[in-house]
């Protein structure tokens, strides 16, 4: 009699960060950066988190500054890389603005996301939108 071992592939949940961002709470920006840095450190990408942190802080800041509601940050790491999504509860889509030299520091967030992320976009959902970006495993 032949002993057949079952080929069971164990499903391991991808490391994930999920955090509620309070309305107009700018303390959420550095807290989100630190939480993301910790998540990426667990993933073994501790020294490569600068771009991910920068882009995450841009999305978090936009959600806090340009809406009058809470938001939710979700970051998931997997074999292909990192996906960060900030979901808010305002349907108005963000606009990609061309930066003007004398415009101070405002208006560059989505331009940075577009320039540095491997992919990004805006997805509508029932009561708002989610702005997301992805970085490949080598960049995250």
């Amino acid at each position: 009699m032949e002993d057949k071992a079952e080929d069971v592939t164990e499903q391991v949940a991808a490391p994930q960060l999920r955090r509620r961002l309070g309305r107009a709470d700018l303390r959420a920006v550095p807290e989100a950066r630190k939480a993301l840095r910790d998540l990426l450190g667990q993933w073994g990408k501790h020294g490569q988190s600068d771009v991910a942190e920068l882009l995450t802080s841009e999305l978090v800041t936009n959600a806090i500054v340009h809406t009058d509601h809470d938001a939710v940050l979700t970051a998931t790491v997997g074999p292909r890389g990192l996906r960060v999504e900030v979901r808010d509860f305002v349907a108005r889509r963000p606009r990609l603005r061309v930066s003007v030299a004398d415009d101070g520091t405002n208006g560059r967030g989505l331009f940075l996301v577009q320039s540095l992320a491997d992919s990004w976009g805006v997805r509508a959902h029932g009561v708002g939108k989610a702005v997301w970006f992805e970085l490949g495993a080598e960049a995250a």
Side-chain angles (χ1 to χ4, degrees), residues 42-60:
Q42 293 172 13
W43 187 41
K45 302 291 183 180
H46 201 32
Q48 300 174 315
S49 65
D50 292 343
V51 170
E53 289 180 49
L54 172 65
L55 300 184
T56 298
S57 64
E58 292 299 335
L59 295 189
V60 169

Side-chain angles (χ1 to χ4, degrees), residues 57-71:
S57 64
E58 292 299 335
L59 295 189
V60 169
T61 300
N62 284 351
I64 291 170
V65 170
H66 298 295
T67 70
D68 193 27
H69 297 277
D70 291 353

Side-chain angles (χ1 to χ4, degrees), residues 15-60:
Q16 186 177 69
L17 163 68
R18 187 168 173 86
R19 179 160 293 180
R20 180 167 285 285
L21 308 168
R23 179 180 70 182
D25 183 7
L26 291 176
R27 293 175 303 188
V29 177
E31 291 169 1
R33 288 178 73 112
K34 182 185 180 323
L36 183 69
R37 187 178 317 119
D38 293 345
L39 176 71
L40 293 174
Q42 293 172 13
W43 187 41
K45 302 291 183 180
H46 201 32
Q48 300 174 315
S49 65
D50 292 343
V51 170
E53 289 180 49
L54 172 65
L55 300 184
T56 298
S57 64
E58 292 299 335
L59 295 189
V60 169

Side-chain angles (χ1 to χ4, degrees), residues 18 20-21 63 67-73 86-92 125-130:
R18 187 168 173 86
R20 180 167 285 285
L21 308 168
T67 70
D68 193 27
H69 297 277
D70 291 353
V72 177
L73 165 67
V86 176
R87 181 177 177 173
D88 65 44
F89 303 95
V90 175
R92 183 180 66 248
H125 62 81
V127 292
K129 66 186 169 303

